[in-house]
Coordinates of all heavy atoms in Angstrom, one line a residue:
M127 N 0.8 -1.2 0.0 CA 0.0 0.0 0.0 C 0.9 1.2 0.0 O 1.8 1.3 0.8 CB -0.9 0.0 1.2 CG -1.9 1.1 1.3 SD -3.1 0.7 2.7 CE -3.7 2.3 2.9
S128 N 0.6 2.2 -0.9 CA 1.4 3.4 -1.0 C 1.2 4.3 0.2 O 0.1 4.4 0.8 CB 1.1 4.1 -2.3 OG -0.2 4.5 -2.3
K129 N 2.2 5.0 0.5 CA 2.2 5.9 1.7 C 1.3 7.2 1.3 O 1.5 7.7 0.2 CB 3.6 6.3 2.0 CG 3.8 7.3 3.1 CD 5.3 7.5 3.3 CE 5.5 8.8 4.1 NZ 5.4 10.0 3.3
L130 N 0.5 7.6 2.2 CA -0.3 8.8 1.9 C 0.5 10.0 2.0 O 1.4 10.1 2.8 CB -1.5 8.9 3.0 CG -2.6 7.9 2.9 CD1 -3.5 8.1 4.1 CD2 -3.3 8.0 1.6
K131 N 0.3 11.0 1.0 CA 1.1 12.2 1.0 C 0.6 13.2 2.0 O -0.6 13.2 2.4 CB 1.0 12.8 -0.4 CG 1.7 12.1 -1.5 CD 1.6 12.8 -2.8 CE 2.3 12.1 -3.9 NZ 2.2 12.8 -5.2
K132 N 1.5 13.9 2.6 CA 1.1 15.0 3.5 C 0.6 16.2 2.6 O 0.9 16.3 1.4 CB 2.4 15.5 4.2 CG 2.8 14.6 5.3 CD 3.9 15.1 6.1 CE 5.3 15.1 5.4 NZ 6.4 15.5 6.2
K133 N -0.2 17.0 3.2 CA -0.8 18.2 2.4 C 0.3 19.0 1.7 O 0.1 19.4 0.6 CB -1.6 19.1 3.4 CG -2.2 20.2 2.8 CD -2.9 21.1 3.8 CE -3.4 22.4 3.2 NZ -4.1 23.3 4.1
S134 N 1.4 19.1 2.4 CA 2.5 20.0 1.8 C 3.1 19.3 0.6 O 3.8 20.0 -0.2 CB 3.6 20.2 2.8 OG 4.1 19.0 3.3
E135 N 2.9 18.0 0.4 CA 3.5 17.3 -0.8 C 2.5 17.2 -2.0 O 2.9 16.8 -3.0 CB 3.8 15.8 -0.3 CG 4.8 15.7 0.7 CD 5.0 14.3 1.3 OE1 4.0 13.6 1.3 OE2 6.1 14.0 1.7
L136 N 1.3 17.6 -1.8 CA 0.3 17.5 -2.9 C 0.5 18.6 -3.9 O 1.0 19.7 -3.6 CB -1.1 17.6 -2.3 CG -1.5 16.4 -1.4 CD1 -2.9 16.7 -0.8 CD2 -1.6 15.1 -2.2
E137 N 0.1 18.3 -5.2 CA 0.2 19.3 -6.2 C -1.0 20.3 -6.1 O -2.0 19.9 -5.6 CB 0.1 18.6 -7.6 CG 1.3 17.7 -7.9 CD 2.6 18.5 -8.0 OE1 2.6 19.5 -8.6 OE2 3.6 18.0 -7.5
P138 N -0.8 21.5 -6.6 CA -2.0 22.4 -6.6 C -3.2 21.8 -7.4 O -3.0 21.2 -8.4 CB -1.5 23.6 -7.4 CG 0.0 23.6 -7.2 CD 0.4 22.1 -7.1
G139 N -4.4 21.9 -6.8 CA -5.6 21.4 -7.4 C -5.9 20.0 -6.8 O -7.0 19.6 -7.0
A140 N -4.9 19.4 -6.1 CA -5.2 18.0 -5.6 C -5.7 18.1 -4.2 O -6.2 17.1 -3.6 CB -3.9 17.2 -5.6
I141 N -5.7 19.3 -3.6 CA -6.1 19.4 -2.2 C -7.6 19.7 -2.1 O -8.1 20.5 -2.8 CB -5.4 20.6 -1.5 CG1 -3.9 20.4 -1.7 CG2 -5.7 20.7 -0.1 CD1 -3.0 21.5 -1.3
P142 N -8.3 18.9 -1.3 CA -9.8 19.0 -1.3 C -10.3 20.3 -0.6 O -9.5 21.1 -0.1 CB -10.2 17.8 -0.6 CG -9.1 17.4 0.3 CD -7.8 17.8 -0.4
F143 N -11.6 20.3 -0.5 CA -12.4 21.4 0.1 C -11.7 22.4 1.0 O -11.0 22.1 1.9 CB -13.6 20.8 0.9 CG -14.6 21.7 1.3 CD1 -15.4 22.4 0.3 CD2 -14.9 22.0 2.6 CE1 -16.4 23.2 0.7 CE2 -15.9 22.8 3.0 CZ -16.6 23.5 2.1
K144 N -11.9 23.7 0.6 CA -11.5 24.8 1.4 C -10.0 25.2 1.3 O -9.6 26.3 1.3 CB -11.8 24.7 2.9 CG -13.3 24.8 3.2 CD -13.9 26.1 2.8 CE -15.3 26.2 3.1 NZ -16.0 27.4 2.6
S145 N -9.1 24.1 1.1 CA -7.7 24.4 1.0 C -7.4 25.1 -0.4 O -6.4 25.7 -0.6 CB -6.9 23.2 1.1 OG -7.3 22.2 0.2
S146 N -8.4 25.0 -1.3 CA -8.2 25.6 -2.6 C -8.2 27.1 -2.6 O -8.0 27.8 -3.6 CB -9.3 25.1 -3.6 OG -10.6 25.4 -3.1
K147 N -8.4 27.7 -1.4 CA -8.4 29.2 -1.3 C -7.0 29.7 -1.8 O -6.8 30.8 -2.1 CB -8.7 29.6 0.1 CG -10.1 29.5 0.5 CD -11.0 30.5 -0.3 CE -12.4 30.4 0.1 NZ -13.3 31.0 -0.9
E148 N -6.0 28.8 -1.7 CA -4.7 29.2 -2.1 C -4.5 29.3 -3.6 O -3.6 29.8 -4.1 CB -3.6 28.2 -1.5 CG -3.6 28.2 0.0 CD -2.9 27.0 0.5 OE1 -1.9 26.5 -0.1 OE2 -3.3 26.4 1.5
Y149 N -5.5 28.7 -4.3 CA -5.4 28.6 -5.8 C -6.6 29.2 -6.4 O -7.7 28.7 -6.3 CB -5.2 27.1 -6.2 CG -4.1 26.4 -5.4 CD1 -4.5 25.5 -4.4 CD2 -2.8 26.7 -5.7 CE1 -3.5 24.9 -3.7 CE2 -1.8 26.1 -4.9 CZ -2.1 25.2 -3.9 OH -1.2 24.6 -3.2
E150 N -6.4 30.2 -7.2 CA -7.5 30.8 -7.9 C -7.9 30.1 -9.1 O -7.1 30.0 -10.1 CB -7.2 32.3 -8.2 CG -7.1 33.1 -6.9 CD -7.0 34.6 -7.1 OE1 -7.3 35.1 -8.3 OE2 -6.8 35.3 -6.2
T151 N -9.0 29.4 -9.1 CA -9.4 28.5 -10.2 C -10.5 29.1 -11.1 O -11.1 28.5 -11.9 CB -9.9 27.1 -9.7 OG1 -11.0 27.4 -8.7 CG2 -8.9 26.4 -9.0
G152 N -10.7 30.4 -10.9 CA -11.8 31.1 -11.6 C -11.7 31.2 -13.1 O -12.7 31.3 -13.7
D153 N -10.5 31.0 -13.6 CA -10.5 31.0 -15.1 C -10.4 29.6 -15.7 O -10.2 29.5 -16.9 CB -9.2 31.8 -15.5 CG -7.9 31.3 -15.0 OD1 -8.0 30.3 -14.2 OD2 -6.9 31.8 -15.4
W154 N -10.7 28.6 -14.9 CA -10.7 27.2 -15.5 C -12.0 26.9 -16.3 O -11.9 26.2 -17.3 CB -10.7 26.2 -14.3 CG -9.3 26.1 -13.6 CD1 -8.3 26.9 -13.7 CD2 -9.0 25.0 -12.7 NE1 -7.3 26.5 -12.9 CE2 -7.7 25.3 -12.3 CE3 -9.6 23.9 -12.2 CZ2 -7.0 24.5 -11.4 CZ3 -8.9 23.1 -11.3 CH2 -7.6 23.4 -10.9
G155 N -13.1 27.3 -15.8 CA -14.4 26.9 -16.4 C -14.8 27.6 -17.6 O -14.3 28.7 -18.0
I156 N -15.8 27.0 -18.3 CA -16.4 27.6 -19.5 C -17.8 28.1 -19.1 O -18.4 28.7 -19.9 CB -16.4 26.7 -20.7 CG1 -17.2 25.4 -20.3 CG2 -15.0 26.4 -21.2 CD1 -17.5 24.6 -21.6
T157 N -18.2 27.8 -17.9 CA -19.5 28.3 -17.4 C -19.3 28.9 -16.0 O -18.3 28.7 -15.4 CB -20.6 27.2 -17.3 OG1 -20.1 26.2 -16.4 CG2 -20.8 26.5 -18.7
Y158 N -20.3 29.7 -15.6 CA -20.3 30.3 -14.3 C -21.7 30.3 -13.7 O -22.7 30.4 -14.5 CB -19.7 31.7 -14.3 CG -20.4 32.7 -15.0 CD1 -21.4 33.5 -14.3 CD2 -20.2 32.9 -16.4 CE1 -22.1 34.5 -15.0 CE2 -20.9 33.9 -17.0 CZ -21.8 34.7 -16.4 OH -22.5 35.7 -17.1
P159 N -21.9 30.2 -12.4 CA -23.2 30.1 -11.8 C -23.8 31.5 -11.6 O -23.1 32.4 -11.2 CB -23.0 29.4 -10.5 CG -21.6 29.7 -10.2 CD -20.8 29.9 -11.4
K160 N -25.1 31.7 -11.8 CA -25.8 32.9 -11.5 C -27.0 32.6 -10.6 O -27.8 31.8 -11.0 CB -26.2 33.6 -12.8 CG -26.8 34.9 -12.6 CD -27.2 35.6 -13.9 CE -27.9 36.9 -13.6 NZ -28.7 37.3 -14.8
I161 N -27.0 33.2 -9.4 CA -28.1 32.9 -8.5 C -29.2 33.8 -8.7 O -29.1 35.0 -8.8 CB -27.6 33.0 -7.0 CG1 -26.4 32.0 -6.8 CG2 -28.7 32.8 -6.0 CD1 -25.7 32.2 -5.4
D162 N -30.5 33.3 -8.8 CA -31.7 34.1 -8.9 C -32.2 34.3 -7.4 O -32.8 33.4 -6.8 CB -32.7 33.3 -9.7 CG -34.0 34.1 -9.8 OD1 -34.2 35.1 -9.1 OD2 -34.9 33.7 -10.7
Y163 N -31.9 35.5 -6.9 CA -32.2 35.8 -5.5 C -33.8 35.9 -5.3 O -34.2 35.9 -4.2 CB -31.5 37.0 -5.0 CG -30.0 36.8 -4.9 CD1 -29.1 37.3 -5.8 CD2 -29.5 36.0 -3.9 CE1 -27.7 37.1 -5.7 CE2 -28.2 35.7 -3.8 CZ -27.3 36.3 -4.7 OH -25.9 36.0 -4.6
N164 N -34.5 36.0 -6.4 CA -36.0 36.0 -6.2 C -36.5 34.6 -5.8 O -37.6 34.5 -5.3 CB -36.6 36.5 -7.5 CG -36.4 37.9 -7.8 OD1 -36.4 38.8 -6.9 ND2 -36.0 38.3 -9.0
K165 N -35.7 33.6 -6.2 CA -36.2 32.2 -5.9 C -35.4 31.6 -4.7 O -35.9 30.6 -4.1 CB -36.0 31.3 -7.1 CG -36.9 31.7 -8.3 CD -36.7 30.7 -9.4 CE -37.3 31.1 -10.7 NZ -36.8 30.4 -11.8
C166 N -34.2 32.1 -4.4 CA -33.4 31.5 -3.4 C -34.1 31.5 -2.0 O -34.7 32.4 -1.6 CB -32.1 32.3 -3.3 SG -31.0 31.7 -2.0
T167 N -34.0 30.3 -1.3 CA -34.6 30.1 0.0 C -33.6 30.2 1.1 O -34.0 29.9 2.3 CB -35.3 28.7 0.0 OG1 -34.3 27.7 -0.1 CG2 -36.4 28.6 -1.0
K168 N -32.4 30.6 0.8 CA -31.3 30.7 1.8 C -31.0 29.4 2.5 O -30.6 29.4 3.7 CB -31.7 31.8 2.9 CG -32.0 33.2 2.3 CD -32.2 34.1 3.5 CE -32.6 35.5 3.0 NZ -32.8 36.4 4.2
C169 N -31.2 28.3 1.8 CA -31.0 27.0 2.5 C -29.5 26.7 2.7 O -29.1 25.9 3.5 CB -31.6 25.8 1.6 SG -30.7 25.5 0.1
T170 N -28.6 27.4 2.0 CA -27.1 27.3 2.0 C -26.5 26.0 1.5 O -25.3 25.8 1.7 CB -26.6 27.7 3.4 OG1 -26.9 26.7 4.3 CG2 -27.1 29.0 3.9
L171 N -27.3 25.2 0.9 CA -26.8 23.9 0.4 C -25.7 24.1 -0.6 O -24.7 23.4 -0.6 CB -27.9 23.0 -0.2 CG -28.8 22.2 0.8 CD1 -29.8 21.5 0.0 CD2 -27.9 21.3 1.6
C172 N -25.8 25.1 -1.4 CA -24.8 25.4 -2.5 C -23.5 25.7 -1.8 O -22.4 25.3 -2.3 CB -25.2 26.5 -3.4 SG -25.7 28.0 -2.5
H173 N -23.5 26.4 -0.7 CA -22.3 26.7 0.1 C -21.6 25.4 0.5 O -20.4 25.3 0.4 CB -22.7 27.5 1.3 CG -21.6 27.6 2.3 ND1 -20.5 28.4 2.2 CD2 -21.6 27.1 3.6 CE1 -19.7 28.3 3.3 NE2 -20.4 27.5 4.2
F174 N -22.4 24.4 1.0 CA -21.8 23.2 1.5 C -21.3 22.2 0.4 O -20.4 21.5 0.6 CB -22.7 22.5 2.5 CG -22.9 23.3 3.8 CD1 -24.0 24.1 4.0 CD2 -21.8 23.2 4.7 CE1 -24.1 24.8 5.2 CE2 -21.9 24.0 5.9 CZ -23.0 24.7 6.1
F175 N -22.0 22.3 -0.7 CA -21.7 21.4 -1.8 C -20.5 21.9 -2.7 O -19.8 21.1 -3.4 CB -22.9 21.1 -2.7 CG -23.7 20.0 -2.2 CD1 -24.9 20.2 -1.6 CD2 -23.3 18.7 -2.4 CE1 -25.7 19.1 -1.1 CE2 -24.1 17.6 -2.0 CZ -25.3 17.8 -1.3
C176 N -20.3 23.1 -2.7 CA -19.2 23.6 -3.7 C -17.8 23.1 -3.3 O -17.4 23.3 -2.2 CB -19.1 25.2 -3.6 SG -17.8 25.8 -4.6
P177 N -17.2 22.3 -4.2 CA -15.9 21.7 -3.9 C -14.8 22.7 -3.7 O -13.7 22.3 -3.2 CB -15.7 20.7 -5.0 CG -16.5 21.3 -6.2 CD -17.6 22.0 -5.6
E178 N -15.0 23.9 -4.2 CA -13.9 24.9 -4.2 C -14.0 25.9 -3.0 O -13.2 26.7 -2.8 CB -13.9 25.7 -5.5 CG -13.5 24.9 -6.7 CD -12.1 24.3 -6.6 OE1 -11.2 25.0 -6.1 OE2 -11.9 23.2 -7.0
G179 N -15.1 25.7 -2.3 CA -15.3 26.7 -1.2 C -15.6 28.1 -1.7 O -15.2 29.1 -1.1
A180 N -16.1 28.1 -2.9 CA -16.3 29.4 -3.6 C -17.6 30.1 -3.3 O -17.8 31.2 -3.8 CB -16.2 29.2 -5.2
I181 N -18.5 29.5 -2.6 CA -19.8 30.1 -2.3 C -19.8 30.5 -0.8 O -19.7 29.6 0.1 CB -20.9 29.2 -2.6 CG1 -20.9 28.8 -4.1 CG2 -22.3 29.8 -2.3 CD1 -22.0 28.0 -4.6
N182 N -19.9 31.8 -0.5 CA -19.9 32.3 0.8 C -21.4 32.6 1.2 O -22.2 32.8 0.4 CB -19.1 33.6 0.9 CG -17.7 33.3 0.5 OD1 -17.0 32.4 1.0 ND2 -17.1 34.1 -0.4
V183 N -21.6 32.6 2.5 CA -22.9 33.0 3.1 C -22.8 34.4 3.6 O -22.0 34.7 4.4 CB -23.4 32.0 4.2 CG1 -24.7 32.5 4.7 CG2 -23.4 30.6 3.7
R184 N -23.6 35.3 3.1 CA -23.6 36.7 3.5 C -24.3 36.9 4.8 O -25.0 36.0 5.3 CB -24.3 37.6 2.4 CG -23.7 37.4 1.0 CD -24.2 38.4 0.0 NE -25.6 38.7 0.0 CZ -26.3 39.0 -1.1 NH1 -25.7 39.1 -2.2 NH2 -27.6 39.3 -1.0
E185 N -24.2 38.1 5.3 CA -24.8 38.4 6.6 C -26.3 38.3 6.5 O -27.0 38.0 7.5 CB -24.4 39.8 7.1 CG -23.0 39.7 7.8 CD -22.7 41.0 8.5 OE1 -23.6 41.9 8.7 OE2 -21.5 41.2 8.9
D186 N -26.9 38.6 5.3 CA -28.3 38.6 5.1 C -28.8 37.2 4.9 O -30.0 37.0 4.7 CB -28.8 39.5 4.0 CG -28.2 39.1 2.6 OD1 -27.6 38.1 2.5 OD2 -28.4 39.9 1.7
G187 N -28.0 36.2 4.9 CA -28.4 34.8 4.8 C -28.3 34.3 3.4 O -28.4 33.0 3.2
Y188 N -28.2 35.1 2.4 CA -28.1 34.7 1.0 C -26.7 34.2 0.7 O -25.7 34.7 1.4 CB -28.5 35.8 0.0 CG -29.9 36.1 -0.1 CD1 -30.5 37.2 0.5 CD2 -30.8 35.2 -0.7 CE1 -31.9 37.4 0.5 CE2 -32.2 35.4 -0.8 CZ -32.7 36.6 -0.2 OH -34.0 36.8 -0.3
T189 N -26.5 33.3 -0.2 CA -25.2 32.9 -0.6 C -24.7 33.7 -1.8 O -25.5 34.3 -2.5 CB -25.2 31.4 -1.0 OG1 -26.2 31.2 -2.0 CG2 -25.4 30.5 0.2
E190 N -23.4 33.8 -1.9 CA -22.8 34.6 -3.0 C -21.5 33.9 -3.5 O -20.7 33.4 -2.7 CB -22.4 35.9 -2.3 CG -21.8 37.0 -3.3 CD -21.7 38.3 -2.6 OE1 -20.8 38.4 -1.7 OE2 -22.4 39.2 -2.9
V191 N -21.4 33.9 -4.8 CA -20.2 33.2 -5.4 C -19.0 34.1 -5.5 O -19.2 35.3 -5.9 CB -20.6 32.7 -6.9 CG1 -19.4 32.0 -7.5 CG2 -21.8 31.8 -6.9
D192 N -17.9 33.6 -5.1 CA -16.7 34.3 -5.2 C -16.0 33.8 -6.5 O -15.5 32.7 -6.5 CB -15.7 34.1 -4.0 CG -14.5 34.9 -4.1 OD1 -14.1 35.3 -5.2 OD2 -13.8 35.1 -3.1
Y193 N -16.2 34.5 -7.6 CA -15.8 34.0 -8.9 C -14.3 33.8 -9.1 O -13.9 33.1 -10.0 CB -16.4 34.9 -10.0 CG -17.9 34.9 -10.1 CD1 -18.7 35.9 -9.6 CD2 -18.5 33.7 -10.7 CE1 -20.0 35.8 -9.7 CE2 -19.9 33.7 -10.7 CZ -20.7 34.7 -10.2 OH -22.0 34.6 -10.3
R194 N -13.5 34.3 -8.2 CA -12.1 34.0 -8.3 C -11.8 32.6 -8.1 O -10.7 32.1 -8.5 CB -11.3 34.8 -7.2 CG -11.3 36.3 -7.4 CD -10.7 37.0 -6.2 NE -11.4 36.7 -5.0 CZ -11.0 37.0 -3.8 NH1 -9.8 37.6 -3.6 NH2 -11.7 36.8 -2.7
Y195 N -12.7 31.9 -7.3 CA -12.4 30.5 -7.0 C -13.4 29.5 -7.7 O -13.2 28.3 -7.5 CB -12.5 30.3 -5.5 CG -11.5 31.2 -4.8 CD1 -11.9 32.3 -4.2 CD2 -10.1 30.9 -4.8 CE1 -11.0 33.2 -3.5 CE2 -9.2 31.7 -4.2 CZ -9.6 32.9 -3.6 OH -8.7 33.7 -3.0
C196 N -14.4 30.0 -8.4 CA -15.4 29.1 -9.0 C -14.8 28.5 -10.3 O -14.4 29.3 -11.2 CB -16.6 29.9 -9.3 SG -17.8 29.0 -10.4
K197 N -14.8 27.2 -10.4 CA -14.3 26.6 -11.7 C -15.4 26.1 -12.6 O -15.1 25.5 -13.6 CB -13.4 25.4 -11.3 CG -14.1 24.2 -10.6 CD -13.1 23.2 -10.2 CE -13.8 22.1 -9.4 NZ -12.8 21.1 -8.8
G198 N -16.6 26.5 -12.3 CA -17.7 26.3 -13.2 C -18.2 24.9 -13.3 O -18.7 24.5 -14.4
C199 N -18.0 24.1 -12.3 CA -18.3 22.6 -12.4 C -19.9 22.4 -12.4 O -20.3 21.4 -12.9 CB -17.7 21.9 -11.2 SG -18.4 22.4 -9.6
G200 N -20.6 23.3 -11.9 CA -22.1 23.2 -11.9 C -22.7 22.4 -10.8 O -23.9 22.1 -10.8
I201 N -21.9 21.9 -9.8 CA -22.4 21.1 -8.7 C -23.5 21.9 -7.9 O -24.5 21.4 -7.6 CB -21.3 20.6 -7.8 CG1 -20.5 19.6 -8.5 CG2 -21.9 20.1 -6.5 CD1 -19.2 19.1 -7.8
C202 N -23.2 23.2 -7.7 CA -24.1 24.0 -6.9 C -25.5 24.1 -7.6 O -26.5 24.0 -7.0 CB -23.5 25.4 -6.8 SG -23.1 26.3 -8.3
S203 N -25.4 24.3 -9.0 CA -26.7 24.3 -9.7 C -27.4 23.0 -9.7 O -28.7 23.0 -9.5 CB -26.3 24.7 -11.2 OG -27.5 24.7 -12.0
H204 N -26.7 21.9 -9.7 CA -27.3 20.6 -9.7 C -28.0 20.3 -8.3 O -29.1 19.7 -8.3 CB -26.3 19.5 -10.0 CG -26.8 18.2 -10.1 ND1 -26.9 17.3 -9.0 CD2 -27.4 17.5 -11.1 CE1 -27.4 16.2 -9.3 NE2 -27.8 16.2 -10.6
E205 N -27.3 20.8 -7.3 CA -27.8 20.5 -5.9 C -28.8 21.4 -5.4 O -29.5 21.1 -4.4 CB -26.6 20.4 -5.0 CG -25.6 19.3 -5.3 CD -26.2 17.9 -5.2 OE1 -27.2 17.7 -4.5 OE2 -25.7 17.0 -5.8
C206 N -28.9 22.6 -6.0 CA -29.9 23.6 -5.5 C -31.3 23.0 -5.5 O -31.8 22.7 -6.6 CB -29.8 24.9 -6.3 SG -31.1 26.1 -5.8
P207 N -32.0 22.9 -4.4 CA -33.3 22.3 -4.3 C -34.4 23.0 -5.1 O -35.4 22.4 -5.5 CB -33.6 22.2 -2.8 CG -32.7 23.1 -2.2 CD -31.5 23.3 -3.0
V208 N -34.2 24.3 -5.3 CA -35.3 25.1 -6.0 C -34.8 25.5 -7.4 O -35.5 26.3 -8.1 CB -35.7 26.3 -5.2 CG1 -36.4 25.9 -3.9 CG2 -34.6 27.2 -4.9
K209 N -33.7 25.0 -7.8 CA -33.1 25.2 -9.1 C -33.0 26.7 -9.5 O -33.5 27.1 -10.5 CB -33.9 24.5 -10.2 CG -34.0 23.0 -10.0 CD -32.6 22.4 -10.1 CE -32.5 20.9 -9.8 NZ -31.2 20.4 -9.3
C210 N -32.4 27.5 -8.6 CA -32.3 28.9 -8.8 C -30.9 29.3 -9.2 O -30.6 30.5 -9.2 CB -32.9 29.7 -7.7 SG -31.9 29.7 -6.2
I211 N -30.0 28.3 -9.5 CA -28.7 28.7 -9.9 C -28.6 28.2 -11.4 O -28.6 27.0 -11.7 CB -27.6 28.0 -9.1 CG1 -27.8 28.3 -7.6 CG2 -26.2 28.4 -9.6 CD1 -26.8 27.6 -6.7
E212 N -28.4 29.2 -12.2 CA -28.3 28.9 -13.7 C -26.8 29.0 -14.1 O -26.1 29.8 -13.6 CB -29.1 30.0 -14.5 CG -29.0 29.7 -16.0 CD -29.7 30.8 -16.8 OE1 -30.2 31.8 -16.1 OE2 -29.8 30.7 -18.0
M213 N -26.4 28.0 -14.8 CA -25.0 28.0 -15.3 C -25.0 28.7 -16.7 O -25.7 28.3 -17.6 CB -24.5 26.6 -15.5 CG -24.4 25.8 -14.2 SD -23.4 26.6 -12.9 CE -21.8 26.5 -13.6
I214 N -24.2 29.8 -16.7 CA -24.1 30.7 -17.9 C -22.8 30.3 -18.6 O -21.8 30.2 -18.0 CB -24.1 32.1 -17.5 CG1 -25.2 32.5 -16.5 CG2 -24.1 33.0 -18.7 CD1 -26.6 32.5 -17.1
V215 N -22.9 30.2 -19.9 CA -21.7 30.0 -20.7 C -20.9 31.3 -20.9 O -21.5 32.3 -21.2 CB -22.1 29.4 -22.1 CG1 -20.8 29.2 -23.0 CG2 -22.8 28.1 -22.0
K216 N -19.6 31.2 -20.6 CA -18.8 32.4 -20.7 C -18.6 32.7 -22.2 O -18.5 31.9 -23.0 CB -17.4 32.1 -20.1 CG -17.4 32.0 -18.6 CD -16.0 31.8 -18.1 CE -15.9 31.6 -16.6 NZ -14.5 31.3 -16.1
K217 N -18.5 34.0 -22.4 CA -18.3 34.5 -23.8 C -16.9 34.9 -24.1 O -16.2 35.2 -23.2 CB -19.3 35.6 -24.1 CG -20.7 35.2 -24.0 CD -21.6 36.2 -24.7 CE -23.0 35.5 -24.6 NZ -24.1 36.5 -24.4
Ligands
SF4_306 S1 -19.9 26.0 -10.3 FE1 -20.7 26.2 -8.2 S2 -20.1 24.3 -7.2 FE2 -18.8 24.6 -9.0 S3 -17.0 25.7 -8.3 FE3 -18.4 27.2 -9.0 S4 -19.6 27.9 -7.3 FE4 -18.6 26.0 -6.7
SF4_307 S1 -28.9 26.0 -2.8 FE1 -30.2 27.4 -4.0 S2 -31.8 27.9 -2.6 FE2 -30.2 27.1 -1.4 S3 -29.0 28.9 -0.8 FE3 -28.0 28.1 -2.6 S4 -29.0 29.3 -4.3 FE4 -30.3 29.5 -2.5

């Protein structure tokens, strides 16, 4: 069995949830999420599902995407229970 690597030995992009704050992945994707605040219920599930930690919860309870870290994977859009996150194709 191979020895597990320490965090300091991993390549950029290989480190899971939240540690990716060190790496701006915002220019990776071809799509980006847009939240419809008229439909958002403030459930915050998108915040917890985002693998990049790119969705923050504001003081008013709504979530907000930090596009510097969003890689456009669409997981937030898929998991949103009221389907109020639309993935927009970058131009
Ligand atoms: S598309 Fe959504 S889940 Fe994926 S990185 Fe961007 S904010 Fe996170
Ligand atoms: S998952 Fe959807 S409804 Fe829930 S906070 Fe995020 S955008 Fe709003």
Side-chain angles (χ1 to χ4, degrees):
M127 188 171 158
S128 62
K129 179 178 160 283
L130 291 175
K131 290 183 177 179
K132 289 187 280 186
K133 181 180 172 183
S134 59
E135 296 171 331
L136 295 172
E137 296 295 319
I141 304 172
F143 190 63
K144 291 295 181 189
S145 55
S146 56
K147 286 294 181 195
E148 296 164 38
Y149 310 106
E150 295 192 7
T151 54
D153 58 354
W154 286 13
I156 58 169
T157 60
Y158 65 93
K160 185 178 173 198
I161 299 172
D162 181 347
Y163 290 108
N164 292 316
K165 295 183 188 165
C166 176
T167 61
K168 303 183 183 180
C169 72
T170 70
L171 280 178
C172 52
H173 164 71
F174 289 103
F175 272 103
C176 175
E178 294 297 320
I181 301 184
N182 300 313
V183 180
R184 305 190 315 210
E185 282 191 10
D186 64 4
Y188 285 105
T189 52
E190 185 172 69
V191 180
D192 185 337
Y193 291 105
R194 292 174 299 168
Y195 302 102
C196 169
K197 62 185 178 187
C199 67
I201 290 173
C202 55
S203 177
H204 184 267
E205 297 298 335
C206 175
V208 295
K209 299 297 174 206
C210 72
I211 306 178
E212 182 183 1
M213 297 305 294
I214 311 285
V215 177
K216 290 182 183 175
K217 296 197 174 144

